[in-house]
Amino acid sequence: MGLDKLRTTLKNKEHILELKTPIIGASGTYGYNDEFEDFVDFNYFGAISTKGMTLEKRLGNDGERIFEVQGGMINRIGLENVGIEAFVKEKLPVLKSKKIDFILNIAGNTIEDYKQIAHIAQQNDIKAIEVNVSCPNVKTGCLEFGLNSEGLFGLTKEVRKEYDGFLIVKLSPNTSDIKLLAKAVEDAGADAISAVNTLRGLGIKIDFDGEKFYKKSVKGGLSGPCIKPVALYMVEEIRSAVNIPIIGMGGISKLVDLFEFISAGADAFQIGTANFINPSICSDLAYELDDFMVKNNFKDFEELKRKIREA
Amino acid sequence: MDKIKNDFTGEIINIEKIAKDTCKMDIFSSLKQAYAGQFISILCPNKTLRRPFSISNLDNNIITILFKLKGEGTEYLAGLEKKDKVKFLAPLGHGFQIKNKKALLVGAGIGIAPMLFLKKNLEKEHIENYFITGFKSKDETIEGSDETVIGGSVLDNLENIIKEKNIEIIYSCGPVPVLKGVCEISEKHNIDCQVAMEKVMACSIGVCRGCVINLKKNNEIIRASVCKDGPVFEGKEILWD
Ligand SMILES: Cc1cc2nc3c(=O)[nH]c(=O)nc-3n(C[C@H](O)[C@H](O)[C@H](O)COP(=O)(O)OP(=O)(O)OC[C@H]3O[C@@H](n4cnc5c(N)ncnc54)[C@H](O)[C@@H]3O)c2cc1C
Ligand SMILES: Cc1cc2nc3c(=O)[nH]c(=O)nc-3n(C[C@H](O)[C@H](O)[C@H](O)COP(=O)(O)O)c2cc1C
Ligand code: FES
């Protein structure tokens, strides 16, 4: 597709993930990828991370799920998904036949859940999985693993045993020491870290009709441009603690955001909330990045990263 | 790079105030076809998320929307002028399924917007219909219906109309209490009913699951997205909160 300069290889020992471009659609903002075709051109995507998949089908949360805030949004979808079995039966064949590169994002309540999904991913020759240990929207489960390094080490190790493809662990920014978590993940055998998931947030809207106040509120995960400084901070912390590749995300919506994430230590990117504003943002960014590199004579993405990090 | 289907840039060819806090906007674009009940979602650069609006008419590549001033998004739109450009995704969702049955159209408040388009389509197909709207006050009233209720509830007279005019199907759009009432009345009279729902949206194209409502189908509860599976649903399938 003519974007040869953007070829990206994420590598940890013998595990390799080849990406057409370093730009990946973030989990939860593309569904299962097969529904998005009217709106995007997948040729410019490195990959797309699926909606978080659990062992059993989940209905997600009742009530309002979206709350807009200045520079971002709060969501409490609650991991609504079809369940891994239905995914394998109904969605996987579509993705494979359309040759859409994807990363299976997974979540669970217990270590056993994660192991079973990882096993199914292995059996179905899924090239990469992203383990969500950090969803702020469900009451039990993945949240706890994401917040302490022993739990995270154990979880990653068990998943590694079941799965021999490219293993990405996605970290939560809702922690006091992300370096410890990152180190635990690397030590347990993960091939890459993606960061960050959404921040915990509370949106409140108070209306007054002249007599009475009315309140609307949504508690959930904050995403979008407003979280970028936190995400950059986290990526830089992680970079200082580990050597494995980092997939950076959090508020990316324009070309210079990519440069900032590279500078903090990211090797590839995910784009989430910005898709809701511009459904073709991923291909637009890939295109702009390529254009920038051609115009300024960068040989490849590796050279671009090196030059940015020298700054 | 291939242009994305469904992603349009249009030019405002007319914008005017038509009632208290209510504007009408005509947008010229390459969109040629849409069904009543479908919507467009407009980019408001001052907001994170797009804003969804029902298509109130589409004729010769001109989309009409009617909108009520609510907050920063609609204020931005109201501030636009002739010749300004707007970016939007369209046509989104599934609209009303037109049946060859004597129809009652119920539009409450700004819910009149898609009903005007529906009425036009019914008339094109020579389907007999009666259109009732309701508004909070006289200065908020928008024209175009056969009967307008001001102040009271649009629901009050529905049963009489159904009996008098031998109505076989109701189509409706408006706030939840009205839609719920319409569904109850149609159930009582054992007639079909389709309602257009609203929910705060993020992606507006069916992928984020932010706008779901509960439906009951074959005794099972399922989540349906308002933006893609809807916004129009069979009244009897909706599980009200
Ligand atoms: C399918 C659909 C069709 C609609 N058609 C019309 C129409 O024809 N005319 C009209 O006036 N209004 C329509 N609306 C409602 C309209 O989208 C909201 O009034 C508008 O988004 C408010 O934006 P704001 O920034 O001015 O107000 P805000 O201050 O942001 O919000 C005011 C209220 O509007 C609603 N709202 C806010 N953001 C969104 C969003 N992203 N998606 C949906 N609702 C939101 C919420 O209930 C909120 O409390 C429709 C909504 C939907 C879902
Ligand atoms: C509506 C929505 C749903 C999400 N669902 C998931 C999910 O299922 N699994 C996951 O790992 N992250 C999920 N995320 C988090 C995003 O993948 C991403 O980490 C986060 O939104 C930050 O990036 P952004 O600022 O570009 O959106 C979701 C985010 C949003 C906005
Ligand atoms: S708004 Fe995303 S699914 Fe409807």
Side-chain angles (χ1 to χ4, degrees), chain A residues 17-54:
Chain A
L17 182 64
E18 296 277 6
L19 302 169
K20 282 193 293 254
T21 80
I23 297 183
I24 301 168
S27 175
T29 59
Y30 278 93
Y32 309 103
N33 318 339
D34 56 332
E35 310 109 323
F36 222 106
E37 279 181 311
D38 283 352
F39 298 92
V40 302
D41 183 347
F42 284 121
N43 286 313
Y44 297 89
F45 282 65
I48 285 152
S49 181
T50 65
K51 178 68 197 167
M53 206 64 57
T54 52

Side-chain angles (χ1 to χ4, degrees), chain B residues 168-228:
Chain B
E168 296 165 306
I169 185 167
I170 308 185
Y171 305 98
S172 184
C173 182
V176 165
V178 172
L179 298 184
K180 199 173 163 199
V182 166
C183 289
E184 281 161 8
I185 291 170
S186 61
E187 199 159 326
K188 185 173 155 197
H189 291 263
N190 201 20
I191 55 179
D192 282 352
C193 166
Q194 296 177 19
V195 299
M197 300 288 285
E198 251 186 48
K199 201 90 200 219
V200 176
M201 293 178 176
C203 70
S204 70
I205 55 180
V207 294
C208 77
R209 309 301 293 170
C211 67
V212 300
I213 60 165
N214 292 330
L215 298 185
K216 56 174 187 301
K217 275 191 178 172
N218 309 325
N219 280 331
E220 203 194 343
I221 297 178
I222 62 159
R223 304 273 207 224
S225 64
V226 170
C227 67
K228 192 177 178 201

Side-chain angles (χ1 to χ4, degrees), chain A residues 28-31 35-36 38-41 44 59-62 64-66 68-69 71-72 77 80 276-277 279-280 284 287, chain B residues 1-2 4-7 43 47-51 89 92 199-203 205 207-210 212 214 220-221 223 228:
Chain A
T29 59
Y30 278 93
E35 310 109 323
F36 222 106
D38 283 352
F39 298 92
V40 302
D41 183 347
Y44 297 89
L59 284 176
N61 290 323
D62 275 311
E64 287 302 322
R65 291 179 166 191
I66 304 285
E68 188 178 18
V69 297
I77 311 292
E80 178 180 347
F276 301 154
I277 303 154
S280 62
D284 289 357
Y287 210 73
Chain B
M1 191 167 34
D2 295 342
I4 305 307
K5 270 194 276 176
N6 307 59
D7 195 355
L43 200 61
K47 304 304 297 179
T48 311
L49 301 173
R50 288 165 179 269
R51 294 294 190 261
L89 301 175
L92 301 176
K199 201 90 200 219
V200 176
M201 293 178 176
C203 70
I205 55 180
V207 294
C208 77
R209 309 301 293 170
V212 300
N214 292 330
E220 203 194 343
I221 297 178
R223 304 273 207 224
K228 192 177 178 201

Side-chain angles (χ1 to χ4, degrees), chain B residues 46-64:
Chain B
N46 60 337
K47 304 304 297 179
T48 311
L49 301 173
R50 288 165 179 269
R51 294 294 190 261
F53 299 96
S54 305
I55 297 173
S56 189
N57 193 26
L58 175 57
D59 215 354
N60 286 323
N61 287 57
I62 298 167
I63 303 166
T64 302

Side-chain angles (χ1 to χ4, degrees), chain B residues 9-20:
Chain B
T9 301
E11 183 181 311
I12 297 175
I13 57 168
N14 189 40
I15 175 161
E16 60 184 310
K17 190 175 163 190
I18 54 167
K20 184 181 164 219

Side-chain angles (χ1 to χ4, degrees), chain B residues 104-191:
Chain B
L104 173 59
L105 282 62
V106 183
I110 198 67
I112 187 178
M115 308 316 290
L116 289 167
F117 194 23
L118 179 65
K119 181 172 175 75
K120 200 176 120 180
N121 290 342
L122 290 173
E123 270 158 23
K124 244 189 234 159
E125 304 202 14
H126 309 289
I127 297 172
E128 222 178 300
N129 66 83
Y130 188 77
F131 186 9
I132 177 169
T133 51
F135 298 92
K136 270 198 218 117
S137 60
K138 183 141 191 1
D139 54 2
E140 291 186 51
T141 302
I142 302 167
E143 314 226 305
S145 60
D146 301 305
E147 180 179 333
T148 309
V149 181
I150 295 169
S153 169
V154 72
L155 296 174
D156 290 346
N157 203 23
L158 288 193
E159 299 204 45
N160 286 335
I161 300 174
I162 292 170
K163 279 185 238 148
E164 272 168 28
K165 303 199 182 292
N166 295 319
I167 297 296
E168 296 165 306
I169 185 167
I170 308 185
Y171 305 98
S172 184
C173 182
V176 165
V178 172
L179 298 184
K180 199 173 163 199
V182 166
C183 289
E184 281 161 8
I185 291 170
S186 61
E187 199 159 326
K188 185 173 155 197
H189 291 263
N190 201 20
I191 55 179

